[in-house]
Amino acid sequence: MKKIVTQDPRKNKIDAFLCRAAAFLLCFVVCICRCADGMSYVRAEEAASVSETAPEDAATGEGTEEQSAEKLVIVIDPGHGGEEEGGMYDSFVEKELTLITAKAMKEELEKYEDVTVYLTREDDRKLSLEERVAFAKEVNADFLFCLHYNLSKDHNTLFGAECWVSAFGRHYSEGYAFADIEIGALEDLGLYSRGIKTRLGKKGTDYYGIIRHAVEQDLTCVLIEHCHMDHENDRPFCEGRKQWETFGRLDATSAAKYFHLQSDVLGVDYSDYPVMDVPIPTGVMRPDMTEPDICMIEVTKQEMETGDVTVALSAVDYDSGMLYYDYSYDGGNTFFPRLAWGDKAQDTITFTMNVPPHIVPQIVVRGYNGYDLYTESNLVSLPSMDYKTQEEIAAELAEQERIAAAAKAGEEERAKQNAVAEENQAKRYRELLEKGNEKEKEPTISYFLTVCLVCALLVVSLALSMALILRRGKHKKRHRRKRRRRR
């Protein structure tokens, strides 16, 4: 007989309750996941909408929209503006040059991906240094480039390009790393490098206001002095708009290399460009305030016939290196214009000067370091060189040619005078002949009487001669007769 098993009704109720609870929890989890996905989609759409509507550029000095965190933001500051014209030389006005260069730099940088570029001014307006830095801070700039052109105090004294950076912390490190690329590019262009330098004011902070205010806003700034407008060495690089724009494109390329940018438009990729690793200094990177440590000269050759003197110059500055030298042959009373040191890795260089004749040369040289401080060398006295200069030789040749020309002219004049005299004499002879012929053709009474007189005289002379001859003959006959009688 089969046994019948009955279930407990309470257990069935519990199982049913657990099943419904599990189903409810599963539905709740699914709803939560779908809500989370929906919110992410909405946020993504909002972010895309903001990115599409945000302006790529902002009006100078006006409020700007917040940029995407992925984009690099660069601000370019054209130095000076408005009443503040900057350096002026010949027809050049610095504020005009910097604006042209800055616009070219901006145009070139905007050809790279993931970069937004602003100018502190796009026209001729005056802005304080604080306003320029405030604008850069407002647009969340990653770097501030301040563009300038240089002049020396006495004109035609200094030449070359240089970069000024902050003397403090990461701003020094970042600024120096970029400036290393920039100076290299300017040297490749043909300019002489005056170096990468810091400068401090009386309060021990950065001297240049644009750099000082940028550091206060935790912003790195580099001031670029492209070249000297007033020096013959640099003028070929900044004669016109085309060259000012070339500087701007060069600056942009240096920035692209520093930030590892790439451009499909330009077909370049600097993602792997090697940037100098500059350690962040723990202290202040002070400028060099001392003259070169060593400066000595030795005369290695003296050409007595030409006045050429070859000098070996040895100079060392352990802080900022050597930059220029100039020389004097009158004991330091007057110096020739400064010359580039050349190979800065060498402590000794050789150069040749030309000493004028008829003086006692006293050679002295000054060596300049990276901050234009100099040390004067020992003095070397040399024997006088009484050679003739090219000018004197040329003057002598000219005098000889003048004398020869004068002599030739005299001979020609004398020959001409002789020719004229001979011609006059021949003319007078011809005239006499003509007069004689005329007299022969037309004899006169005086001519006839003269002829008669001459004939008479001839007859008388003949008669007298015959008489004398006859008389002498008679005298000889008498003498013979007398001699015969005596015998």
Side-chain angles (χ1 to χ4, degrees):
M1 184 176 174
K2 191 177 182 179
K3 185 178 179 180
I4 298 174
V5 180
T6 60
Q7 295 181 352
D8 188 353
R10 289 180 299 177
K11 186 177 180 181
N12 291 335
K13 289 181 180 180
I14 292 172
D15 291 340
F17 175 77
L18 291 174
C19 289
R20 286 195 295 271
F24 177 77
L25 288 173
L26 180 62
C27 291
F28 180 76
V29 170
V30 170
C31 290
I32 292 296
C33 292
R34 287 182 177 179
C35 289
D37 291 341
M39 291 298 293
S40 299
Y41 177 76
V42 170
R43 287 175 182 169
E45 283 191 331
E46 289 177 353
S49 176
V50 171
S51 177
E52 291 174 356
T53 57
E56 291 184 1
D57 201 350
T60 304
E62 297 178 1
T64 56
E65 305 226 0
E66 187 175 354
Q67 299 297 316
S68 172
E70 289 78 12
K71 274 201 171 186
L72 173 70
V73 178
I74 291 176
V75 173
I76 305 169
D77 176 43
H80 308 290
E83 299 174 358
E84 192 179 310
E85 295 177 323
M88 299 177 66
Y89 189 78
D90 288 347
S91 61
F92 298 158
V93 181
E94 187 179 3
K95 68 174 183 179
E96 298 172 358
L97 275 63
T98 57
L99 185 58
I100 292 172
T101 301
K103 288 183 176 180
M105 182 180 180
K106 179 177 185 292
E107 181 181 353
E108 185 75 3
L109 269 176
E110 287 176 338
K111 296 176 183 177
Y112 291 85
E113 283 81 38
D114 300 322
V115 60
T116 301
V117 188
Y118 298 100
L119 298 179
T120 57
R121 66 178 181 93
E122 295 185 0
D123 52 20
D124 186 15
R125 67 173 65 183
K126 181 178 180 180
L127 292 172
S128 68
L129 299 177
E130 293 88 344
E131 290 174 322
R132 298 168 194 258
V133 174
F135 172 75
K137 189 66 176 178
E138 182 182 352
V139 298
N140 296 319
D142 295 291
F143 215 99
L144 174 61
F145 296 98
C146 187
L147 310 187
H148 284 265
Y149 287 84
N150 222 338
L151 288 174
S152 54
K153 182 179 178 181
D154 299 322
H155 297 307
N156 205 32
T157 302
L158 306 178
F159 56 91
E162 61 191 356
C163 288
W164 295 93
V165 300
S166 172
F168 300 93
R170 73 172 182 86
H171 305 295
Y172 170 83
S173 174
E174 295 171 357
Y176 198 101
F178 164 77
D180 176 68
I181 301 173
E182 173 75 9
I183 285 294
L186 291 168
E187 283 186 298
D188 291 341
L189 189 65
L191 285 157
Y192 186 62
S193 170
R194 285 177 47 81
I196 306 168
K197 296 180 277 191
T198 64
R199 186 175 180 182
L200 299 177
K202 295 180 180 179
K203 296 181 179 180
T205 57
D206 288 308
Y207 174 84
Y208 292 103
I210 191 76
I211 296 177
R212 183 174 63 254
H213 294 305
V215 170
E216 291 172 354
Q217 297 295 328
D218 197 28
L219 177 62
T220 299
C221 174
V222 173
L223 191 153
I224 305 171
E225 295 280 9
H226 291 94
C227 65
H228 285 73
M229 299 183 291
D230 59 343
H231 199 283
E232 58 184 6
N233 283 26
D234 292 1
R235 283 294 290 271
F237 298 95
C238 63
E239 286 288 358
R241 186 184 190 95
K242 183 178 179 181
Q243 292 167 301
W244 307 331
E245 291 175 343
T246 297
F247 278 125
R249 289 189 290 271
L250 180 147
D251 298 342
T253 302
S254 297
K257 291 175 179 178
Y258 174 74
F259 289 110
H260 299 111
L261 302 180
Q262 62 183 26
S263 170
D264 293 335
V265 176
L266 299 175
V268 295
D269 186 354
Y270 298 120
S271 300
D272 298 324
Y273 189 84
V275 178
M276 176 185 286
D277 183 15
V278 182
I280 297 176
T282 55
V284 181
M285 299 302 294
R286 298 184 179 278
D288 184 5
M289 302 297 292
T290 60
E291 297 80 8
D293 301 275
I294 300 172
C295 185
M296 298 179 63
I297 62 170
E298 178 185 0
V299 173
T300 59
K301 190 175 182 181
Q302 181 181 8
E303 295 286 349
M304 303 299 291
E305 296 80 10
T306 62
D308 289 339
V309 176
T310 302
V311 179
L313 167 62
S314 299
V316 177
D317 188 292
Y318 297 109
D319 297 316
S320 58
M322 301 305 299
L323 189 62
Y324 304 115
Y325 70 93
D326 57 15
Y327 61 84
S328 168
Y329 52 66
D330 60 4
N333 293 323
T334 57
F335 282 86
F336 279 73
R338 297 184 198 184
L339 299 169
W341 185 263
D343 187 356
K344 298 175 184 176
Q346 298 295 324
D347 295 334
T348 300
I349 60 173
T350 301
F351 66 94
T352 300
M353 69 173 73
N354 185 263
V355 179
H358 321 307
I359 67 170
V360 177
Q362 292 184 308
I363 312 299
V364 64
V365 179
R366 296 184 300 194
Y368 295 80
N369 65 11
Y371 284 83
D372 304 317
L373 302 172
Y374 71 85
T375 294
E376 192 166 287
S377 73
N378 54 304
L379 186 145
V380 177
S381 295
L382 301 175
S384 175
M385 295 179 284
D386 296 326
Y387 68 95
K388 293 180 180 179
T389 65
Q390 294 296 327
E391 292 77 10
E392 290 173 337
I393 294 173
E396 286 185 358
L397 290 175
E399 180 64 17
Q400 292 174 2
E401 291 176 357
R402 186 191 67 78
I403 293 172
K408 184 177 179 181
E411 291 176 358
E412 292 177 351
E413 182 64 23
R414 285 192 295 274
K416 184 177 180 181
Q417 290 175 355
N418 292 336
V420 171
E422 291 176 358
E423 179 65 24
N424 291 337
Q425 187 175 3
K427 184 177 180 182
R428 286 195 298 271
Y429 181 73
R430 286 194 299 271
E431 290 175 352
L432 289 174
L433 288 177
E434 289 176 357
K435 288 181 179 180
N437 291 336
E438 289 177 358
K439 289 179 180 180
E440 288 179 357
K441 292 179 181 179
E442 297 179 3
T444 59
I445 296 174
S446 59
Y447 176 76
F448 178 76
L449 292 175
T450 302
V451 173
C452 292
L453 179 60
V454 172
C455 291
L457 290 173
L458 288 173
V459 171
V460 171
S461 297
L462 288 173
L464 291 173
S465 297
M466 289 300 294
L468 289 172
I469 293 170
L470 291 173
R471 186 178 179 182
R472 187 175 182 181
K474 290 179 179 181
H475 179 73
K476 286 180 177 182
K477 286 179 178 180
R478 289 189 190 115
H479 184 69
R480 282 194 298 266
R481 287 174 184 173
K482 287 179 179 182
R483 289 179 66 183
R484 288 173 184 169
R485 288 174 184 173
R486 289 174 182 171
R487 292 176 181 175

